Amino acid sequence: MEKQEPPAYDQSGPGVYEPGTTDQPPAYIPPTQPQQYPQQPYPQGQQQAYPPGVQAAYPPGVQPVGVYTAQPPGSTVIVRQPTGPMPNDYLIFAIFVTFCCCLPCGIVAIMKASETKNRWHAGDNEGAVRNSQEAKKWATIALVCGILTYVCTAGFLIVYYLFIFSYLYSY
């Protein structure tokens, strides 16, 4: 069997431009100034939607809340914004009781604390407050369990050594 060569690649045809011909596409000329979008006043409490790729300018110390996405024309977009300060997530307390007191309850407290931040940034105020309270509850349960474990262990060791010493000195 003789080895056959594949057919040669045909570079002619639509979409192929050769240098020096008149059918070349026009060269791209980048704009000299960035495109300016008109600034319109928005009522208090509404967000301004910016076109994709445009960086919004915020006053110093103000951070944007929510996600800006391009929507098809004519669609309605509802943006839920958190109001007021973010509830305490008790993350430091949860981490402390996880390592020092009770591992299982502390892990649940850490999960609830991280879910507090997630819900707050998603705009779910009630869910953030509920998870904050649950994180505090689970961290407190872990603290109480840890303290009870340490007290019971200390009591057991005291009784154990007293029993051993009384047995040794009775002979």
Side-chain angles (χ1 to χ4, degrees):
M1 235 176 137
E2 211 173 292
K3 190 174 186 182
Q4 294 182 355
E5 292 291 322
Y9 178 70
D10 185 16
Q11 293 186 2
S12 64
V16 177
Y17 303 104
E18 295 183 14
T21 62
T22 58
D23 58 347
Q24 286 185 349
Y28 172 74
I29 302 171
T32 55
Q33 292 185 358
Q35 185 177 4
Q36 298 293 322
Y37 293 97
Q39 296 294 324
Q40 299 174 354
Y42 287 87
Q44 183 69 22
Q46 287 188 3
Q47 288 183 333
Q48 181 175 355
Y50 292 91
V54 175
Q55 180 72 23
Y58 293 95
V62 176
Q63 293 295 322
V65 178
V67 177
Y68 297 94
T69 57
Q71 297 294 327
S75 65
T76 303
V77 178
I78 299 173
V79 178
R80 296 175 59 187
Q81 287 184 319
T83 57
M86 185 175 101
N88 190 355
D89 61 356
Y90 299 101
L91 184 62
I92 303 299
F93 183 33
I95 291 172
F96 172 75
V97 297
T98 300
F99 288 118
C100 297
C101 299
C102 180
L103 184 67
C105 295
I107 290 174
V108 174
I110 289 175
M111 290 171 45
K112 293 295 181 182
S114 65
E115 187 65 24
T116 299
K117 285 185 179 180
N118 292 343
R119 292 212 182 248
W120 176 258
H121 292 299
D124 184 9
N125 298 356
E126 296 83 19
V129 170
R130 185 174 50 251
N131 279 330
S132 172
Q133 292 168 350
E134 289 204 15
K136 182 179 180 183
K137 176 184 79 172
W138 281 101
T140 305
I141 289 171
L143 181 66
V144 169
C145 288
I147 290 173
L148 287 176
T149 302
Y150 290 137
V151 168
C152 290
T153 302
F156 175 77
L157 290 175
I158 290 171
V159 170
Y160 180 74
Y161 285 117
L162 287 177
F163 179 73
I164 288 178
F165 287 131
S166 66
Y167 181 74
L168 289 176
Y169 287 118
S170 66
Y171 286 110

